[in-house]
Amino acid sequence: MRLVLGMMKHETNTFSPLRTDWARFQDWGAFAGDEARKAFEKTAMPLGAYMKLARERGAEFTIPMAAEAMPSGPVERDAYERMAGAICEEVVKGCDGVLLDLHGAMVTVDHEDGEGELLARIREIAPDVPIAVTLDLHTNLTQRMIDNCTALIGYKTYPHVDMYEVAEQIGRVVLDSMEGKCRPVMAWRSLPLLSQTLKQGTDDEPMKSLIAMACAAEARPGILAASVFGGFPMADIRDAGTSVIVVADGDREKAGAACEEIGQAAWKARETFIYQHEPLEQAVARAKTLTNGPVLLLDHADNTGSGGTQDVMTVIAEVIRQGLEDVAVAAVWDPAAVQDMAKAGIGATVTIRLGGKTDMPSIGLKGEPLEITGKVKILTDGEWVVHGPMYTGVTVRMGPTAVLDTGKVQIVIVSRHHEPWDTGVFRSVGIEPEHKRYLVLKSRIHYRAGFAELGKATITCDGHGVTTSDNSILTFERLRRPIYPLDRMNDDTLLPSTAQQ
């Protein structure tokens, strides 16, 4: 048996001004062949699970591409063709199966559905080859994805700490189908619901109950996999939104019934998928009254893990204005500031214009730096290994990194975008987060992987940025309509319209 394994992952924020060229994938990690094997074999990533399955079956395998970039704007043509081309060229050589780790919300300059385009190309090359696909919980699922794979599955956790397990599950389904042990068929439902990622945490309602329904469905005889996709609402494409998919063993009716049950429950809970705002000044003032730390302050509108520029200073400026003390911030993206601090040297006192280097024309905002004075506390190369439950074993490369200490606030400043989902973002620069009174994190939900157990309280801070949870400042032009909450839809029961493979 010869298998082609591959990874091509990007969550595309079409409102983001950040370029997604090939260099951005190289910054986070782009590997092939033996380098890919070494990079992911001992990690809790889907490729690690796929390699394990291949070895269990005594199969040969190749990894022509394993690439991921931090969320940003549409993927440029050269980057996409490098990744998709490498995978397709390997399939051309001949294989018995393809196991892919994709995201599900990749938009390119040429294709609204980057994953569907890749799968269609593979199908054109090898019409009968079995294909397994692992997708992110924030997938914007499309008919093209369904039509061009054998079976797919999504993560059941946000933050995503089950990537290895779901890849192993769907990989086994497809490998078993190759041996005649099962016959995967799929039913799926796309809901007219643009749910917000800040309300998709799987420890919270309504996702907690919906995921429980998916798990209960999987426990029924004949159901091979069931997934609920919250969708990624920062993509202005036709198919953005919430969806459900069920994979059954040869029984489309059974798959459809389970899919409709979960889909109807998701639709009835639609109002709880929408974030309720609080004035920033009020949120920070409320945090100031809390004495038992660490208190987690989420700068969610500038979450680089959803395509934020990571250099908006609105929340940090308000924290400083209100005089909060013993604060650590992770992280501000400002390569120029890091260079200036490196020139000054550790121990030097500097005054810099921090952040605010990026304009955001999609929401009509200009970058606004914050003039700030502090001591250069530490300088590092920004490399460290994740030991927490999300991306376990993966090497993070934040690029040249510095810590600016104002006396009350310590700010981690990085040269490459990175969302703080692991305490290593602080520990790698000598900050012990558990001993801080406040932690300002440019994150939405992924912070929970590393910080949930540390935080004594969590407050969302409504700052500015292209990952805003305020739909009123976003302009959707391609999105299908009507869709909730952009359009008022009062009927609690959706008409059955489950699509099938």
Side-chain angles (χ1 to χ4, degrees):
M1 183 187 294
R2 183 176 186 273
L3 301 175
V4 173
L5 316 183
M7 180 177 88
M8 186 184 80
K9 299 175 76 168
H10 186 256
E11 184 176 77
T12 305
N13 183 330
T14 61
F15 301 99
S16 176
L18 301 176
R19 286 187 63 190
T20 311
D21 55 9
W22 179 239
R24 189 165 180 85
F25 285 91
Q26 291 176 306
D27 284 347
W28 182 249
F31 309 94
D34 196 50
E35 285 189 356
R37 181 190 61 76
K38 290 178 181 177
F40 294 103
E41 190 165 29
K42 296 182 180 180
T43 69
M45 300 291 285
L47 275 184
Y50 287 157
M51 283 186 269
K52 171 192 171 184
L53 292 176
R55 290 197 170 96
E56 283 182 356
R57 308 275 172 140
E60 296 178 359
F61 65 85
T62 60
I63 309 176
M65 180 57 61
E68 181 174 10
M70 287 299 291
S72 44
V75 178
E76 296 182 7
R77 181 178 295 114
D78 174 68
Y80 182 78
E81 295 302 333
R82 281 175 182 262
M83 296 182 291
I87 294 170
C88 290
E89 287 170 12
E90 197 64 30
V91 175
V92 167
K93 297 176 184 178
C95 63
D96 299 296
V98 180
L99 308 181
L100 295 175
D101 175 20
L102 306 178
H103 186 283
M106 176 184 283
V107 181
T108 83
V109 295
D110 299 312
H111 310 288
E112 283 196 359
D113 177 12
E115 291 84 0
E117 173 66 18
L118 170 66
L119 292 169
R121 291 184 188 184
I122 294 173
R123 271 282 180 254
E124 185 175 357
I125 296 165
D128 299 319
V129 69
I131 303 173
V133 179
T134 302
L135 295 171
D136 192 284
L137 182 139
H138 301 118
T139 287
N140 291 322
L141 194 60
T142 69
Q143 185 70 53
R144 204 173 188 207
M145 294 182 202
I146 304 295
D147 289 344
N148 291 289
C149 73
T150 305
L152 64 79
I153 195 171
Y155 310 150
K156 288 184 173 64
T157 59
Y158 181 28
H160 311 319
V161 296
D162 65 335
M163 291 186 278
Y164 186 99
E165 289 78 9
V166 297
E168 185 175 7
Q169 180 181 348
I170 207 65
R172 288 192 189 282
V173 167
V174 171
L175 291 174
D176 284 349
S177 75
M178 293 165 63
E179 298 175 359
K181 296 178 180 178
C182 66
R183 185 170 64 87
V185 295
M186 295 184 283
W188 75 291
R189 182 66 191 267
S190 179
L191 307 177
L193 170 60
L194 195 69
S195 65
Q196 294 178 309
T197 51
L198 195 56
K199 301 295 290 182
Q200 292 177 12
T202 51
D203 289 330
D204 310 327
E205 296 296 349
M207 284 299 286
K208 183 177 182 179
S209 291
L210 295 174
I211 295 296
M213 291 180 70
C215 291
E218 290 181 338
R220 299 171 194 164
I223 300 295
L224 303 173
S227 305
V228 181
F229 295 112
F232 185 59
M234 311 308 298
D236 182 20
I237 62 172
R238 180 192 180 280
D239 292 308
T242 303
S243 59
V244 181
I245 185 167
V246 176
V247 185
D249 185 2
D251 191 335
R252 288 189 172 86
E253 184 176 346
K254 181 177 290 187
C259 186
E260 282 300 322
E261 179 185 8
I262 301 170
Q264 293 288 352
W267 178 245
K268 289 181 180 179
R270 62 190 178 279
E271 291 186 8
T272 55
F273 272 116
I274 309 305
Y275 173 66
Q276 302 301 315
H277 297 269
E278 177 183 15
L280 176 59
E281 182 178 354
Q282 179 178 308
V284 175
R286 185 158 56 88
K288 194 173 181 179
T289 66
L290 302 176
T291 58
N292 189 19
V295 176
L296 309 181
L297 305 178
L298 305 182
D299 188 1
H300 63 93
D302 191 33
N303 167 30
T304 191
S306 293
T309 62
Q310 203 180 347
D311 70 344
V312 180
M313 302 302 292
T314 309
V315 171
I316 298 169
E318 184 63 22
V319 165
I320 293 173
R321 189 188 72 80
Q322 293 202 30
L324 275 65
E325 299 183 359
D326 197 18
V327 181
V329 179
V332 174
W333 175 75
D334 194 333
V338 174
Q339 291 179 14
D340 290 343
M341 292 169 67
K343 290 177 183 177
I346 293 176
T349 297
V350 296
T351 298
I352 57 176
R353 288 171 58 78
L354 181 61
K357 304 298 193 296
T358 315
D359 295 337
M360 293 159 278
S362 67
I363 58 173
L365 286 182
K366 293 279 189 180
E368 294 185 16
L370 177 66
E371 186 170 292
I372 190 168
T373 299
K375 180 186 292 186
V376 181
K377 185 73 174 179
I378 196 168
L379 299 166
T380 78
D381 64 4
E383 291 197 11
W384 48 278
V385 176
V386 179
H387 295 294
M390 181 175 165
Y391 278 73
T392 309
V394 171
T395 298
V396 171
R397 299 173 178 86
M398 302 188 298
T401 298
V403 175
L404 182 70
D405 191 343
T406 72
K408 294 182 178 180
V409 181
Q410 291 182 322
I411 305 173
V412 180
I413 309 169
V414 298
S415 299
R416 294 175 181 164
H417 295 95
H418 175 65
E419 182 179 358
W421 63 63
D422 189 85
T423 58
V425 72
F426 288 121
R427 299 192 197 282
S428 66
V429 292
I431 297 174
E432 298 179 345
E434 64 270 30
H435 298 307
K436 289 293 180 180
R437 184 174 174 187
Y438 301 101
L439 298 174
V440 178
L441 304 173
K442 285 184 177 287
S443 180
R444 290 191 199 272
I445 300 292
H446 280 326
Y447 78 92
R448 296 180 182 179
F451 295 94
E453 293 184 2
L454 292 183
K456 301 301 187 295
T458 301
I459 295 177
T460 52
C461 297
D462 297 351
H464 299 136
V466 293
T467 66
T468 178
S469 296
D470 185 355
N471 286 326
S472 69
I473 69 172
L474 301 173
T475 301
F476 291 94
E477 297 176 343
R478 300 180 180 179
L479 183 65
R480 59 198 158 121
R481 305 294 286 268
I483 192 167
Y484 185 86
L486 304 186
D487 305 295
R488 196 67 194 173
M489 302 175 71
N490 297 318
D491 190 352
D492 278 342
T493 302
L494 285 171
L495 293 175
S497 65
T498 301
Q500 295 181 345
Q501 181 197 43

